[in-house]
Amino acid sequence: MRQSVLFPKTRKDAPKDAESINHQLLVRGGFIDQLMSGSWTLMPLGFRVVTKINQIIREEMNAIGGQEMLMPVLHPKSIWEETGRWEKAKEIMYQFKMKDKEYGLAFTHEEVVMDLLRKNIKSYQDLPIYVYHFSTKFRDEARARSGILRGREFMMKDLYSAHVSESDLMDYYNKVKDAYSKIFKRIGFDFRVTEASGGVFTDKHTHEFQVMADGGEDFIYYCDNCDWGENKEIFAGKEGEKCPKCKNGKVKGAKSIEVGNIFPLGTWFAERMRVYYADDKGLKKPVWFGSYGIGPTRVMGTLVEVGHDEKGIIWPKAVAPYEVHLVELSGAKNAKKIYEELTQKGIEVLWDDREVGAGEKFADADLIGIPSRLVVSERNGDKIEWKERTSEKTELLSLDEIISKLES
Ligand SMILES: [Zn+2]
């Protein structure tokens, strides 16, 4: 991609109302644009990052048997009335009337999946079912001020599973828990899995995936020795105490951002929406159900909250918009050839071919935050200067050396 035609240009200053780091840096770098509070466009660079996040999620969902589909976002009031959630969701759900009919914009899809199940499930042989989709969700957030972390319209991956029994549900629930851990490891997060109470749906605990971040709105307690963690709402102890699980480590507290959550919902939905199957003796039983969410746009915002310095964003390699930022300084003769050779090797390159000064180019490279920077200039001749975003060290290398470094 040639930077001279990339839309939009970077900005020197953050918008005046931008309070959070992700808002400031993602707008300045040209990744996102705010239409109104809580409503964002993913610009081409931002869309590339989210697409890569989605692909990691997709691979891990498919690996545990998930089947991808796409459900509607516009729902009739009637389906939400079946579970009594139309009234309950009034504060957060966009609900409106058009030509005498009432509709809601989805913030989740349990009711729709339940409707699909009752149309298609007859016996225990039809279960289990694992389906997921990536779609826009709507939520009328009272406080939509944390940049892209908290949108009124945002992207969600939600997975739903349906089972014959509680034990089958919990087996799969633990598989999803492992898959989520794989996803967040691949993305590069320092995260904790914390327990939270199940609320009205289940006596079981639910789990949240929390990334430690100074800019976070959540607060978690975790052990400095084992994998124990709980969120603030349910933990009765305090920092410095002995860990309730391993009895060895100390309880610590940290601000955090929730990037994923998983819920064993039991039979609450099936009982209200009459989703039954016949077991092997022909007896009618309610379907056991679970739902599992990750917000990819929130993941992007979180990556910026935990990956930045005073100059700009630092993307992890797995989800960076490009692998390489090729910076062409005036007088360089070989930039086009290098760009073409790297691209032919399947390496994703943003080529800064703009006619602006070196200082501006370097500042933009730091702001955009692509992991590897290559500088070609008259002074360097046939050699190319290699620098990683996380280091001040530069090296002069040949193109072959650079290709083998990138491919390793
Ligand atoms: Zn512990």
Side-chain angles (χ1 to χ4, degrees), residues 223 225-228 243 245-249:
C223 173
N225 181 51
C226 74
D227 65 355
W228 175 87
C243 166
K245 187 177 173 186
C246 70
K247 319 277 185 204
N248 234 335

Side-chain angles (χ1 to χ4, degrees), residues 236-256:
K238 50 179 185 293
E239 280 182 67
E241 286 179 358
K242 271 202 174 147
C243 166
K245 187 177 173 186
C246 70
K247 319 277 185 204
N248 234 335
K250 273 208 175 89
V251 172
K252 294 200 154 194
K255 278 188 169 179
S256 64

Side-chain angles (χ1 to χ4, degrees), residues 5 63 68 70 84 95 99 105 110 150 156 167 172 206-207 212 230 274 289 302 308-309 313 338 355 359 365 367:
V5 297
E68 188 171 1
L70 184 60
Q95 301 177 340
K99 301 186 179 96
L105 294 177
E110 282 83 6
R150 202 172 273 285
M156 256 323 250
S167 67
Y172 192 71
T206 68
H207 289 90
M212 323 285 220
E230 277 185 30
R274 310 187 55 75
F289 193 45
T302 305
H308 68 269
D309 60 16
I313 301 168
I338 291 166
E355 292 188 4
L367 173 62

Side-chain angles (χ1 to χ4, degrees), residues 165-179:
S165 66
E166 179 168 22
S167 67
D168 195 53
L169 165 63
M170 292 318 292
D171 283 350
Y172 192 71
Y173 182 86
N174 286 321
K175 273 190 196 166
V176 179
K177 202 162 130 191
D178 291 344

